[in-house]
Amino acid sequence: MANDLAAISVDDLTEPDATAELTRLAAEMADHDQRYHQDDAPVISDAAYDALKARNAAIEAHFPALIRGDSPSRKVGAAPSSGFTKVQHSVPMLSLGNVFDEADVADFYARVRRFLGLGEDEQVDVIAEPKIDGLGFSARYESGRFVVGATRGDGQVGEDITANLKTIQGMPDMLMGPAKDVPKVIEVRGEVFMTKANFQALNTAQEEKEAKVFANPRNAAAGSLRQLDPEITKSRPLTLFAYAWGEAEPLDWDSQQDYIDRLKAWGFSTNPLTRVCTSVEDVLTAYTEIGEQRASLPYDIDGVVYKVNRLDWQQRLGFVSRAPRWATAHKFPAEQAQTVLEKIDIQVGRTGSLTPVARLTPVNVGGVVVSNATLHNEDEIARKDIREGDTVIIQRAGDVIPQVVQVLTDKRPKGSKAYAYPSTCPICDSLAVREEGEAVRRCTGGLICPAQAVERLKHFVSRNTFDIEGLGAKNIEGFFEDGTIKNPVDIFTLEKRNANPDNLTPLKSREGWGKTSAENLFTAINEKRTIGLDRFLFALGIRQIGQATARLLAQAYGSLPALSEALSTAQDRESDAYADLLNIESIGAAVAEDLLGFFAEAHNQDVLDGLARELNIEDFDAPDTDSSPIAGKTVVFTGTLETMSRSEAKAGAQALGAKVAGSVSAKTDLVVAGPGAGSKLKKAEEFGVEVKTEQEYLVFVGKA
Ligand code: IVH
């Protein structure tokens, strides 16, 4: 239903529709916020995001009574992520309103004049400067010394990135200039960014290292700045421009231009394209001229920012909700072009997600040749009724993947058919299912799907699963490529297959292998033929079945045959077996679907049968907590853990009889704190709760 609603114009929405639309927009924008701010990996362009924001605002304007508590219109940016200590901004870091065309610019000017009560003939100087597509920062200097630096976060609270900012060339440790010109307190604000050339070079290097490649310079800058290890930030080529201030004592400049001159004197770089404009016409000329230089600038900009130059006027104009009345942003339009969508391809990701990609007749969009565009997901194709052979308008904004914005239905070839989204995996032919409330369809062929198999195999042999020594990620990749190990069963038949006299390429005769290393590997594999049921279930890499859930399942069913039988009965969603499954703590309908889907897939059953033949899967045994130092204790994990994920830490502690809590109270017995631990650590100190580092904890519980 929500898909149809998205196409209805705001004026035509009924109240229940509007409620549903606001709910959808809040969820969708929260998802994009997470991808953009926390994961540094957006999937839609800024323009598409702005369109969602605009629709949300329009609906709220029509139905003010329906405004949600968590409405995107109430948020500025994203809440800080958890790994960093938080910094409360003494003066909030606000965002900017937008103007979209000449009339809006004239309106902005008129509003300023009206508010200040200025006559038509009174000159209002406005500073125009490029809007840098980077990451806002705030750097606090006390008596000229850099003391604390932060990201914008949600505008009120940011992340403490002092150590990271210090590594950036162009971020002075001490403000330059005679003591009389250095304020007691000044928070210098600006933008950290990466040049286009440095971004390309970084991505090439990342590719060589098989490390994460960034979508665009902004994400590269964000990913580089928000590193828990400042050494990584230091190795990344970041640059900055300063342009604003937060707290300032004394605040003794008269205009924006004056302040920019101060910034330069203190040792900051400021944008050389910044200029003072004296009229609306002048501002528009600045916009056009900066826009003309956009493609050839060494860094990405996404618009021009206008700021009333006089400080006394800025102070009188003040703020409205979360943006200044004295400044606004004039964004550049996204670049569009018309082309033909030749074909829709379905790609399968490492987690089994099916993603549609549009193959286009190559077309030049603002200087870049585009031949692929993202279609996001199934619903998007249905909602826009995108078909193979359609003539479409595509759009490129920044460096995010181009998108299809519109189908020109009048150019649609005769006899064209609506696109039928596949219900099987194009790679392995297993069923591809889409769970309720999920946008993505996923392949259920987990263990046998080549698109997923390598990652699954790596997981299968990793530390918290089978933990097979000598069978690391590199070996798994090599064996998968040459066909030696295609699924988990192959690991345990490796020795047998090698011993077969018909085998022309036994391991010991291969490059990099000898008799001893081959035998060592067989021994390492044989040592792991016995495994606990919980560990075994986790090793299967079933979606949503992490360590903790695997343990609960093992506990509930006891043995693999019992579990298999129960799940086979539970395929009937009316059965008691299904009800029993849902009764297990932390197993909801969505998790149950993933689990049942996995067990229902014949390919997976083959693998399970094969493994059952090769392995001794031990029935679940309640842990011996007698010797556990944390049995019956309440433990809290906080900060970044280095050797285990949060859920592993939790499952491990529970296995030792501990209760794991999410927050610290007087009842907490132990806090395990990794780097970046913040308020929980402080609370532990307040309550006098024992605190251990991750390493100390592992030694304490005998797992080091
Ligand atoms: S001035 C109170 N100037 O744009 C006004 N912001 O939408 C503070 N940005 O998060 C902002 N270039 O990080 C200003 N030349 C510029 C800018 C700029 C980029 C970013 C800034 C802020 C966002 C506002």
Side-chain angles (χ1 to χ4, degrees):
M1 281 310 288
N3 304 325
D4 305 325
L5 285 182
I8 299 180
S9 92
V10 174
D11 291 335
D12 298 338
L13 288 173
T14 62
E15 199 168 308
D17 286 352
T19 309
E21 263 300 81
L22 290 174
T23 308
R24 178 185 74 89
L25 288 164
E28 191 163 337
M29 290 175 72
D31 178 46
H32 291 308
D33 285 343
Q34 156 89 24
R35 291 173 191 270
Y36 185 89
H37 293 284
Q38 250 87 55
D39 308 341
D40 300 324
V43 292
I44 63 168
S45 67
D46 289 357
Y49 182 85
D50 287 346
L52 294 175
K53 197 156 108 182
R55 183 166 171 86
N56 190 71
I59 300 176
E60 289 183 342
H62 259 68
F63 301 96
L66 300 181
I67 299 180
R68 298 166 59 91
D70 65 348
S71 166
S73 64
R74 296 193 173 185
K75 290 187 201 156
V76 182
S81 76
S82 54
F84 294 87
T85 308
K86 295 175 182 41
V87 177
Q88 174 86 38
H89 298 302
S90 50
V91 174
M93 288 182 82
L94 299 161
S95 62
L96 289 170
N98 287 312
V99 291
F100 296 98
D101 53 26
E102 295 187 8
D104 289 349
V105 178
D107 272 357
F108 169 72
Y109 247 87
R111 239 180 300 128
V112 167
R113 278 184 196 285
R114 213 179 314 124
F115 194 94
L116 296 174
L118 300 176
E120 277 299 312
D121 47 351
E122 199 146 359
Q123 184 173 317
V124 175
D125 285 352
V126 162
I127 289 257
E129 62 190 45
K131 184 165 191 301
I132 311 297
D133 200 6
L135 207 74
F137 73 87
S138 181
R140 185 181 175 90
Y141 290 81
E142 291 176 3
S143 309
R145 183 178 298 279
F146 180 28
V147 287
V148 61
T151 62
R152 188 164 84 126
D154 63 6
Q156 305 291 333
V157 178
E159 295 163 340
D160 185 340
I161 49 160
T162 312
N164 302 9
L165 282 176
K166 277 193 173 167
T167 70
I168 301 180
Q169 271 201 355
M171 179 63 80
D173 243 346
M174 287 294 291
L175 297 182
M176 298 198 298
K180 68 171 180 39
D181 292 345
V182 169
K184 230 168 79 209
V185 176
I186 175 74
E187 281 172 5
V188 173
R189 292 177 175 179
E191 205 83 357
V192 172
F193 61 96
M194 195 177 283
T195 63
K196 297 177 189 171
N198 282 330
F199 158 72
Q200 295 295 357
L202 172 65
N203 261 1
T204 309
Q206 291 286 100
E207 236 162 56
E208 275 161 18
K209 283 195 290 190
E210 293 188 22
K212 174 176 172 172
V213 190
F214 297 97
N216 55 47
R218 204 212 87 93
N219 296 119
S224 301
L225 195 57
R226 294 172 61 256
Q227 285 286 342
L228 290 170
D229 177 1
E231 281 303 309
I232 301 181
T233 309
K234 195 173 173 181
S235 73
R236 304 273 175 84
L238 295 168
T239 321
L240 61 85
F241 282 133
Y243 51 69
W245 66 91
E247 191 178 334
E249 178 56 48
L251 204 172
D252 57 357
W253 43 91
D254 296 333
S255 68
Q256 197 71 28
Q257 184 59 55
D258 254 10
Y259 177 67
I260 293 171
D261 294 338
R262 293 289 185 91
L263 284 171
K264 286 190 213 161
W266 292 332
F268 287 97
S269 41
T270 58
N271 196 300
L273 302 179
T274 304
R275 61 204 227 192
V276 181
C277 304
T278 55
S279 64
V280 178
E281 294 70 38
D282 214 5
V283 163
L284 291 170
T285 309
Y287 175 76
T288 311
E289 287 179 3
I290 292 175
E292 281 164 359
Q293 293 180 65
R294 184 183 184 189
S296 57
L297 286 178
Y299 46 85
D300 276 345
I301 62 174
D302 55 358
V304 179
V305 180
Y306 308 138
K307 301 172 185 171
V308 170
N309 194 29
R310 269 176 63 167
L311 194 70
D312 55 341
W313 283 353
Q314 284 190 7
Q315 284 165 339
R316 279 171 58 196
L317 285 158
F319 300 86
V320 55
S321 73
R322 58 208 175 88
R325 247 188 229 102
W326 47 267
T328 193
H330 194 169
K331 293 262 193 94
F332 294 128
E335 286 155 319
Q336 298 193 333
Q338 179 180 321
T339 187
V340 173
L341 188 159
E342 297 176 351
K343 191 171 178 303
I344 295 175
D345 268 348
I346 304 288
Q347 295 180 334
V348 185
R350 290 193 293 202
T351 56
S353 51
L354 269 51
T355 315
V357 181
R359 305 294 180 200
L360 310 165
T361 306
V363 59
N364 190 315
V365 195
V368 176
V369 177
V370 171
S371 47
N372 301 312
T374 174
L375 293 169
H376 302 309
N377 57 42
E378 201 168 338
D379 289 345
E380 174 88 356
I381 297 180
R383 186 162 68 77
K384 293 190 179 152
D385 186 19
I386 298 170
R387 305 179 181 191
E388 293 181 329
D390 271 348
T391 298
V392 293
I393 302 285
I394 59 160
Q395 168 173 300
R396 197 176 64 86
D399 274 305
V400 296
I401 313 166
Q403 317 182 288
V404 173
V405 284
Q406 197 193 337
V407 175
L408 303 178
T409 36
D410 52 338
K411 297 202 162 156
R412 178 167 277 169
K414 276 212 181 69
S416 101
K417 287 200 193 73
Y419 179 72
Y421 206 83
S423 55
T424 54
C425 171
I427 307 275
C428 74
D429 219 27
S430 299
L431 204 63
V433 296
R434 182 172 167 191
E435 278 150 25
E436 223 182 286
E438 281 239 359
V440 189
R441 189 174 283 276
R442 282 174 205 277
C443 165
T444 56
L447 296 174
I448 61 108
C449 180
Q452 303 166 66
V454 182
E455 294 311 310
R456 298 276 183 135
L457 281 168
K458 284 185 197 166
H459 169 75
F460 193 83
V461 298
S462 65
R463 255 194 63 179
N464 294 306
T465 54
F466 273 83
D467 191 19
I468 298 174
E469 210 171 308
L471 203 53
K474 270 244 135 52
N475 278 335
I476 284 285
E477 275 169 19
F479 285 146
F480 186 78
E481 244 161 62
D482 68 19
T484 306
I485 294 177
K486 294 189 296 300
N487 71 50
V489 185
D490 294 342
I491 295 170
F492 298 99
T493 57
L494 187 62
E495 186 173 12
K496 237 183 302 180
R497 287 184 285 135
N498 260 273
N500 185 335
D502 295 340
N503 188 339
L504 296 178
T505 51
L507 202 52
K508 64 176 187 221
S509 70
R510 291 191 211 181
E511 204 190 313
W513 291 89
K515 192 162 179 290
T516 322
S517 56
E519 270 165 13
N520 284 346
L521 178 61
F522 300 145
T523 310
I525 292 172
N526 291 335
E527 274 173 7
K528 299 295 163 83
R529 282 186 193 265
T530 296
I531 189 164
L533 177 61
D534 52 338
R535 228 175 145 103
F536 175 78
L537 290 174
F538 177 52
L540 295 176
I542 304 168
R543 224 172 96 70
Q544 305 205 66
I545 309 295
Q547 243 176 337
T549 311
R551 211 182 125 72
L552 292 168
L553 283 169
Q555 201 167 12
Y557 294 105
S559 70
L560 185 61
L563 173 95
S564 291
E565 195 185 322
L567 293 185
S568 130
T569 319
Q571 298 289 350
D572 172 3
R573 308 296 194 266
E574 304 290 314
S575 64
D576 289 348
Y578 181 70
D580 289 344
L581 178 61
L582 289 190
N583 273 333
I584 299 172
E585 186 197 331
S586 91
I587 297 201
V591 180
E593 284 318 305
D594 280 328
L595 186 65
L596 292 171
F598 181 92
F599 276 80
E601 182 61 55
H603 302 303
N604 293 336
Q605 272 304 335
D606 290 345
V607 172
L608 285 173
D609 293 345
L611 286 172
R613 274 196 301 276
E614 295 295 331
L615 302 174
N616 167 29
I617 302 162
E618 290 180 317
D619 292 353
F620 185 79
D621 221 358
D624 166 22
T625 50
D626 288 355
S627 58
S628 160
I630 55 169
K633 300 253 161 82
T634 301
V635 182
V636 173
F637 292 95
T638 180
T640 312
L641 301 178
E642 270 149 13
T643 67
M644 51 193 169
S645 70
R646 274 291 162 85
S647 56
E648 285 163 32
K650 184 171 175 184
Q654 284 168 341
L656 291 167
K659 270 220 312 259
V660 178
S663 59
V664 177
S665 70
K667 291 198 191 113
T668 311
D669 296 298
L670 173 65
V671 169
V672 180
S679 60
K680 289 183 195 171
L681 184 54
K682 276 205 201 100
K683 267 213 166 141
E685 280 155 10
E686 267 167 47
F687 287 122
V689 173
E690 185 178 359
V691 177
K692 288 192 189 296
T693 64
E694 181 177 353
Q695 203 46 42
E696 286 164 355
Y697 166 76
L698 291 171
V699 171
F700 180 58
V701 298
K703 296 273 157 132

